[in-house]
Amino acid sequence: MMANFLAQYSNREKSIVALALLVVLAIAFDALIIEPYQQRQTELRESILQHNADLNWMRSVVPGLPIAGAEITAGEIEGTLANFIDQAVRRQGLNNQLSQMSPVGNDEIRMRYSAVDFNRLIGFVARIHASGLDIKDIRITTADTPGIVDSSIVLVRQ
């Protein structure tokens, strides 16, 4: 049936239709695959730049955060790191938001917080840092409520 349909056209007309089909396919490929890919790549680059700017801002602000009310002083870590962190979390009243705490060896601990107030979390991190722990990794993501975040923190002894 298709052969009969094509047989009624001349070779020139068939070539024009084939060329038009190739052009349509090329435009469709560009519009459906290449453009969205390039747009997503641009969005990701902008997102990385924004996250880096946010991280640099956070790093510049952390030293100036008040450590008022901190009973912890440098070198006060006695016993296991997990017990020390557990006590610090309870003192700060963050134990309900702590969803996971996993020691990694003797000198490192990984914690996950869910739905925690950003300011309280940063205050806690500043106090812990002042007590003699370094922040190896910290990832903070926004939650649905403004000022509330989820986070993953890895701390290591200095």
Side-chain angles (χ1 to χ4, degrees):
M1 179 167 208
M2 184 63 118
N4 290 339
F5 179 72
L6 290 176
Q8 68 184 359
Y9 293 108
S10 69
N11 285 339
R12 182 173 179 248
E13 290 171 331
K14 289 177 189 175
S15 297
I16 291 171
V17 169
L19 183 61
L21 181 62
L22 285 176
V23 169
V24 167
L25 288 175
I27 291 171
F29 182 75
D30 181 63
L32 298 175
I33 296 174
I34 294 175
E35 286 293 326
Y37 173 77
Q38 290 175 338
Q39 183 179 1
R40 180 68 177 142
Q41 199 173 30
T42 301
E43 289 170 357
L44 289 173
R45 278 192 198 114
E46 291 171 358
S47 175
I48 288 171
L49 290 174
Q50 182 61 46
H51 284 94
N52 283 336
D54 292 345
L55 178 62
N56 290 334
W57 174 81
M58 284 183 199
R59 284 182 176 156
S60 71
V61 171
V62 167
L65 287 175
I67 306 179
E71 308 96 30
I72 303 168
T73 58
E76 228 181 88
I77 300 174
E78 294 180 13
T80 66
L81 186 58
N83 286 339
F84 174 77
I85 295 295
D86 185 55
Q87 291 171 2
V89 167
R90 290 179 192 281
R91 262 194 305 266
Q92 291 300 120
L94 296 174
N95 49 329
N96 291 334
Q97 290 81 21
L98 182 65
S99 58
Q100 180 183 8
M101 183 169 68
S102 311
V104 181
N106 291 330
D107 294 331
E108 190 172 311
I109 194 156
R110 187 178 320 261
M111 300 180 300
R112 291 201 176 165
Y113 287 93
S114 298
V116 64
D117 180 80
F118 177 76
N119 293 328
R120 288 180 65 198
L121 179 69
I122 294 301
F124 170 73
V125 170
R127 287 179 184 95
I128 289 297
H129 181 70
S131 71
L133 294 175
D134 279 334
I135 301 162
K136 182 176 180 182
D137 184 40
I138 185 167
R139 295 170 193 227
I140 299 174
T141 56
T142 59
D144 295 334
T145 308
I148 303 297
V149 296
D150 297 329
S151 72
S152 172
I153 304 170
V154 178
L155 300 170
V156 64
R157 286 187 204 241
Q158 292 178 349

